Amino acid sequence: MVHNGQPIAADAYCAEVQTLAGPVVRPSPAKVQVMMAMGATVIANEAGELTPELRAVCDMLRETFAASVAANVYCSFQGVRGFGPHYDLHDVFAIQTEGEKVWRLYRNRAEDPVDYPGEGESARDWLARTPGR
């Protein structure tokens, strides 16, 4: 989860649960609901297997482009910025299914970026200060 461009610590929305394999940390529905009420963005990476329909879209794209495909799902709220300026090192199809959101697209920083500036506050600050035109 993120809020106004800042990652939220997992302990704010996760809880340890016991499984047959031992304890694991999973999102807590109650904690996630509290974070969403505050405007946090929910991120579900690798969600392509959640439904037959989403799996079918991933399979179609995988076959059409002969490429690795992953589906990520984001739930964000109007008036709250989920992510600050950033770039991806992979191709992205962004499909908005509901509501309205302002998307800001910036000119490339590099012709073919092959590395990311790292994680953490200093990398986020650098990306925010230098988004490009």
Side-chain angles (χ1 to χ4, degrees), residues 8-30:
I8 299 171
D11 61 351
Y13 62 91
C14 291
E16 186 176 280
V17 296
Q18 292 297 322
T19 70
L20 293 175
V24 296
V25 175
R26 290 189 177 151
S28 159

Side-chain angles (χ1 to χ4, degrees), residues 65-111:
F65 295 106
S68 177
V69 173
N72 298 340
V73 176
Y74 303 89
C75 176
S76 60
F77 301 92
Q78 190 172 6
V80 180
R81 181 179 61 145
F83 296 97
H86 68 281
Y87 59 91
D88 294 306
L89 297 174
H90 53 272
D91 295 323
V92 174
F93 286 100
I95 303 168
Q96 183 153 336
T97 59
E98 190 172 321
E100 294 180 16
K101 196 73 175 173
V102 174
W103 292 67
R104 291 178 180 87
L105 303 178
Y106 301 98
R107 179 167 288 201
N108 288 348
R109 297 165 191 263
E111 186 66 31

